[in-house]
Amino acid sequence: MYESGEILNYPGIIKTYGAQFKGMFAEQIKFNEVKIKEEEVISVQRAGKLWTIAASKARYKTKTVILASGSHPQKLNVPGEQR
């Protein structure tokens, strides 16, 4: 798991840190009673004006798909980087 340090470029937030930022998201999700489903996505296909998502536990239809694929930190290849 990757951790983020100082965050200075998020709209509406002057300055925060990764752990605090995650906590803000968790509070907002709880406040808005958002149900989170975690499962493997098998396919995403456009079906007219909707998207059809085939996942490991169910199929979903939606107007919007947000792709969050994660990230890999860039390597600088400088002395001491591994430490």
Side-chain angles (χ1 to χ4, degrees), residues 18-34:
Q20 293 170 324
F21 196 51
K22 178 184 173 189
M24 288 183 225
F25 278 164
E27 287 180 39
Q28 186 175 23
I29 287 168
K30 185 176 179 181
F31 176 82
N32 288 297
E33 299 177 0
V34 173

Side-chain angles (χ1 to χ4, degrees), residues 2-3 10-11 16-17 20-21 39 53-54 61 65 69-70 81:
Y2 300 111
E3 293 184 17
Y10 194 83
T16 189
Y17 294 88
Q20 293 170 324
F21 196 51
E39 55 187 292
I53 293 102
K61 291 190 183 242
V65 173
S69 61
E81 182 173 25

Side-chain angles (χ1 to χ4, degrees), residues 60-81:
Y60 304 96
K61 291 190 183 242
T62 182
K63 293 180 184 178
T64 306
V65 173
I66 299 173
L67 177 64
S69 61
S71 67
H72 297 284
Q74 297 294 318
K75 301 287 184 189
L76 300 175
N77 297 315
V78 297
E81 182 173 25

